[in-house]
Amino acid sequence: MLNFEFMNPTKVLFGKGQIASLAKEVPSDARILMLYGGGSIKKNGIYEQVKDALKGFDVLEFSGIPANPEYEVLLEALKMIREEKISFMLAVGGGSVIDGVKFLSAAALYKGDNPWDILSLKIRTEKGLPFGTVLTLPATASEMNSGAVISRKATQEKFSMGGPGLFPKFSILDPQVVASIPERQLANGITDAFTHVLEQYMTYPSGALLQDRIAEGIMQTLVEVAPRVIKDPSDYEAAANFMWSCTMALNGLIQKGVPTDWAVHFMGHELTALFGIDHARTLAIIAPSHYRYNFESKKEKLAQYAERVWGITTGTLEEKATAGIKATENFFHSLEIDTKLSEYTPEFKGTAQIIFRRFTDRGWLGLGEHKSLTPADVEKIVEMSY
Ligand code: NZQ
Ligand code: ZN
C-alpha cells in the first residue's frame, strides 16, 4: 500500500426530507446566491423545498448553468457575486451546477486578472468562497470532492481544476430527487460512477486489500441497483444505494494508498469538448479500448475484477481479463449506452490525430498510473474507439 494523507471536510446530510435541514447549515448572516441549471428543479419540486427551507434568509438566484458548465455563463455569475457582495453560494443541481459553483468559489477570491488561468494554468485553490450543495443527480461525486471540470465553447476546451479550498461545506443528498431524473441521465450517472471506480482500481496490484474490496463493493452495488433504478427511479431503496455509491466512488476514499489512472477521463473530456457527447458516454467509448490497449500492464487487476465483480472464475488469467473487459462493455450496453465514437458522430475520422496534437501541445506526455501513456498511445486508443 502506498503512503497517503486523507481528509474530507464535507458534511453529508443523507436521506428523506434532508433539504429542510438547509436552514441549520447555511450561515444565518450570509448573503446567499442560489445557483441552478436549466430549470428541472422548478418542475420536480426541489426549488420550492429549497426556497421554503431558506425563508427569512437573504437569497439571490442565478439560473441557467448548462450541462458541461460553460465558462462564459459562469463569468456572468461571477459579475453578480462581486456586484451583490455574495458571501455564501448554494449549488442546487448535478455535477455541472456544482462544478460551476466550484469554479466561482475559486474565481471570486482569485487575485489574477484572467479567471481562465485557474483552468489553463492548473492553479490550485487553497481557499474559496464558501458554498454548500443540494445534489439533484447522482453521478460525479462533486458533492463530496474538491474537483471541477469547466468547458469553454469558444475554444472547444474542457479542463479540470481543484484544490483543498473547494470542498463543499455541506451537501444534502435526498435520494427522492432521483425520481424525476430522465432515463438517459440515470444511465449516465451509473456509467460515470462505475468508471470513476475503474480509474482508481484498474491499474496494477498494490497490496491495498481493503481499497480493492471497497471499490469492488461499489461496482457490485451499481451493477445490482442499475436495472432497478432504470425501471423505477422512485424505488427509494435502489435510489439511495445508487446515490451513495456514486458519492463513495469519487469522494477520495478509494484512491488513497493505490495507484490511479484517469487517462480515460482525459481522453473522454476531449470528446465532450469536440462533439458535445455526454461525459459518461465518452468514458464508455474510451474505457474498453483503453483496457485492451494496456492489457499487459493491467491484466492482473482486470482478471481480479472479472472474478470478483462479474463472477468469471474459469479460464486463464488472460481469458478472465479479456472477459472482464467484455462484461464491462455489456454492462454499458445494458444501460443503452453505445461504446463506439462512430455511433455518436459521423465526423469521427481524424479525432485521434486532433487529440494527439492537443495533448502534445499541452505537454500531456505521460498519462496513466505509470505516467507512460504518450500522445501516440492516446492516438491509437482513440482510433480503436471509432
Ligand atoms: O439543468 P437542469 O434543468 O437542472 O437539468 C439537468 C441537466 O440537463 C438534469 N437534471 C439534474 N437533476 C435532475 C435533472 N433532471 C430531472 N430531475 C433531476 N433531479 O440532468 C442534466 C445533466 O445534469 P449534469 O449536472 O450535467 O450531469 P452530471 O451530474 O452527470 O454532471 C456532468 C458534469 O460533471 C463533470 C462532467 O465532466 C460534466 O461536466 N464531472 C465532474 C466531476 C467532479 N467534479 O468530480 C467528475 C466527473 O468525472 C465529471 O468529469
Ligand atoms: Zn467522470
Side-chain angles (χ1 to χ4, degrees):
M1 199 188 301
L2 310 175
N3 289 6
F4 65 87
E5 289 181 9
F6 181 55
M7 187 182 78
N8 190 315
T10 300
K11 175 175 179 181
V12 172
L13 295 95
F14 188 99
K16 273 184 196 167
Q18 287 284 23
I19 295 176
S21 312
L22 263 176
K24 70 177 172 62
E25 300 304 326
V26 167
S28 56
D29 55 348
R31 189 154 167 83
I32 303 165
L33 184 62
M34 167 183 174
L35 301 103
Y36 52 98
S40 69
I41 62 166
K42 293 217 165 146
K43 294 191 203 117
N44 56 21
I46 297 173
Y47 177 84
E48 276 75 25
Q49 286 184 60
V50 172
K51 292 293 275 189
D52 282 352
L54 291 181
K55 268 201 186 107
F57 285 81
D58 182 9
V59 186
L60 302 181
E61 291 179 28
F62 184 91
S63 66
I65 297 180
N68 306 310
E70 168 57 35
Y71 181 66
E72 302 295 337
V73 175
L74 296 171
L75 289 185
E76 288 169 34
L78 184 60
K79 197 162 161 258
M80 188 169 174
I81 288 167
R82 289 186 173 141
E83 285 174 3
E84 299 289 345
K85 303 202 169 14
I86 298 297
S87 60
F88 192 89
M89 292 182 290
L90 181 67
V92 185
S96 293
V97 172
I98 300 174
D99 281 8
V101 167
K102 286 179 179 171
F103 168 76
L104 293 168
S105 167
L109 303 190
Y110 180 59
K111 297 276 187 291
D113 299 330
N114 182 3
W116 185 250
D117 290 347
I118 300 170
L119 290 139
S120 61
L121 305 178
K122 288 222 166 290
I123 292 171
R124 195 175 131 97
T125 301
E126 300 293 337
K127 186 174 186 299
L129 188 69
F131 66 96
T133 87
V134 175
L135 180 68
T136 68
L137 173 52
T140 63
S142 189
E143 68 277 8
M144 203 182 171
N145 68 37
S146 59
V149 194
I150 304 298
S151 296
R152 192 172 190 179
K153 274 209 186 90
T155 50
Q156 288 191 316
E157 285 169 310
K158 180 166 181 164
F159 286 150
S160 47
M161 56 175 282
L166 295 179
F167 281 100
K169 296 287 167 221
F170 64 83
S171 280
I172 296 192
L173 279 62
D174 180 345
Q176 292 175 119
V177 301
V178 174
S180 66
I181 300 174
E183 194 171 319
R184 162 174 158 182
Q185 300 298 346
L186 293 169
N188 283 352
I190 295 161
T191 302
D192 192 23
F194 194 86
T195 313
H196 291 160
V197 182
L198 289 177
E199 297 267 39
Q200 301 162 91
Y201 172 95
M202 205 59 83
T203 56
Y204 53 88
S206 63
L209 306 186
L210 179 62
Q211 288 90 324
D212 277 4
R213 295 281 185 195
I214 298 173
E216 289 151 4
I218 296 169
M219 290 190 282
Q220 285 173 308
T221 308
L222 286 168
V223 169
E224 184 175 337
V225 299
R228 281 172 66 187
V229 170
I230 299 280
K231 184 161 167 257
D232 178 12
S234 65
D235 173 343
Y236 182 82
E237 189 184 278
N241 283 289
F242 166 42
M243 188 174 252
W244 190 230
S245 296
C246 291
T247 303
M248 285 295 290
L250 193 48
N251 65 1
L253 185 66
I254 63 169
Q255 77 190 27
K256 294 301 161 191
V258 301
T260 58
D261 182 344
W262 294 110
V264 174
H265 271 69
F266 278 101
M267 290 182 258
H269 286 166
E270 297 307 312
L271 301 183
T272 301
L274 292 167
F275 303 112
I277 302 169
D278 292 352
H279 169 65
R281 287 162 203 260
T282 68
L283 309 176
I285 294 168
I286 298 289
S289 304
H290 180 62
Y291 299 135
R292 288 194 175 106
Y293 186 82
N294 294 291
F295 190 80
E296 275 310 308
S297 63
K298 290 179 182 289
K299 65 185 180 188
E300 278 85 8
K301 288 302 285 283
L302 277 165
Q304 178 180 314
Y305 157 78
E307 272 191 28
R308 295 189 187 173
V309 176
W310 297 108
I312 298 162
T313 51
T314 54
T316 62
L317 184 129
E318 282 77 11
E319 283 163 353
K320 282 188 272 191
T322 304
I325 300 173
K326 191 68 207 152
T328 313
E329 244 167 6
N330 291 344
F331 179 52
F332 295 151
H333 292 159
S334 77
L335 300 167
E336 296 191 5
I337 297 232
D338 292 325
T339 51
K340 289 287 169 201
L341 183 59
S342 53
E343 292 169 298
Y344 292 88
T345 170
E347 280 154 26
F348 59 90
K349 286 199 188 105
T351 305
Q353 287 68 39
I354 295 172
I355 298 179
F356 167 84
R357 177 77 12 243
R358 285 181 157 202
F359 282 22
T360 307
D361 292 347
R362 291 177 196 155
W364 295 1
L365 306 179
L367 298 183
E369 64 272 23
H370 297 292
K371 301 203 182 324
S372 61
L373 208 69
T374 64
D377 295 316
V378 165
E379 182 179 359
K380 292 195 190 101
I381 293 165
V382 176
E383 249 169 9
M384 283 165 69
S385 310
Y386 285 176

